[in-house]
Amino acid sequence: MITIIGNLLFRISSLNRRFINKYLVSIMGAHGSNVRIEGMCNITAKNVYCGNNVFIGSGGVFISSVADIHIGNNVMIAPNVMIVTGNHRTDVIGRYMIDVTEKTDVDDEDVIIEDDVWIGMGAMILKGVTIGRGSVIGAGAIVTKNIPPYSVAYSHSSLIVKERFSAEQVEQHEKILGLSERGS
């Protein structure tokens, strides 16, 4: 009896999650085809723009009150990835930080994830960052600065450890994918 009830509750929970995730995709600023969200995620959907073939793993947290989050095509985002486009001011004298609600131009900045990017589990992408096409962000990385195309970056300082491809391999890769003809 416990097995039957547990199985029924699991199926109801799974249907509920799928409905909520389809709803989150539907209220995004814009999205392409085949955008999939797995498990429960916390997404400020109105400021998120996704291309085609985007997978977002469970436990994702995408927070943006003013700036946008742009996710390109063919992007894989592993579970528990956090993307945050804003920051709080810490420069106001005579007020507690919690009481400061005004923002400056640099307090909120877009995050851009270009095409063919894989972001590993538990990575954190902070405001103003662009992750270049074809890059890999290692699990647990804290990305605070731009990552050039076709790079592999990991560690707490977004250290670029190596290039994913040589210049010749990038050219060959993009030619095979039809990217060199359209100049993107």
Side-chain angles (χ1 to χ4, degrees), residues 7-25:
N7 193 0
L8 180 62
L9 290 174
F10 177 78
R11 289 178 190 271
I12 290 170
S13 174
S14 178
L15 285 172
N16 183 35
R17 262 183 293 171
R18 280 188 269 173
F19 175 78
I20 290 170
N21 292 340
K22 285 186 183 288
Y23 170 73
L24 284 175
V25 170

Side-chain angles (χ1 to χ4, degrees), residues 94-106:
R95 289 170 58 196
Y96 294 109
M97 289 182 283
I98 197 167
D99 294 330
V100 179
T101 57
E102 310 83 40
K103 298 259 188 181
T104 67
D105 293 342
V106 296

Side-chain angles (χ1 to χ4, degrees), residues 1-10:
M1 185 65 149
I2 295 292
T3 304
I4 293 170
I5 293 171
N7 193 0
L8 180 62
L9 290 174
F10 177 78

Side-chain angles (χ1 to χ4, degrees), residues 92-165:
V92 178
I93 297 171
R95 289 170 58 196
Y96 294 109
M97 289 182 283
I98 197 167
D99 294 330
V100 179
T101 57
E102 310 83 40
K103 298 259 188 181
T104 67
D105 293 342
V106 296
D107 290 328
D108 292 284
E109 297 177 287
D110 293 350
V111 169
I112 299 169
I113 300 168
E114 295 182 349
D115 296 347
D116 189 30
V117 168
W118 173 24
I119 301 174
M121 179 181 252
M124 183 181 299
I125 316 298
L126 298 180
K127 71 178 183 103
V129 167
T130 295
I131 298 175
R133 177 171 59 196
S135 291
V136 177
I137 305 300
I142 300 173
V143 183
T144 61
K145 58 186 176 186
N146 293 343
I147 304 298
Y150 299 104
S151 297
V152 177
Y154 64 88
S155 87
H156 297 300
S157 63
S158 303
L159 175 67
I160 297 170
V161 176
K162 65 178 184 175
E163 293 180 342
R164 186 173 158 209
F165 298 127

Side-chain angles (χ1 to χ4, degrees), residues 36-104:
R36 296 173 295 147
I37 300 174
E38 178 183 272
M40 295 302 289
C41 290
N42 179 5
I43 298 175
T44 309
K46 66 181 177 131
N47 296 27
V48 177
Y49 301 87
C50 286
N52 298 313
N53 302 316
V54 173
F55 174 82
I56 300 169
S58 63
V61 178
F62 297 6
I63 300 174
S64 179
S65 59
V66 177
D68 295 332
I69 298 170
H70 295 274
I71 301 170
N73 298 307
N74 305 303
V75 172
M76 297 183 298
I77 300 175
N80 301 315
V81 168
M82 181 178 284
I83 301 173
V84 181
T85 64
N87 203 355
H88 294 282
R89 290 186 62 186
T90 60
D91 62 338
V92 178
I93 297 171
R95 289 170 58 196
Y96 294 109
M97 289 182 283
I98 197 167
D99 294 330
V100 179
T101 57
E102 310 83 40
K103 298 259 188 181
T104 67

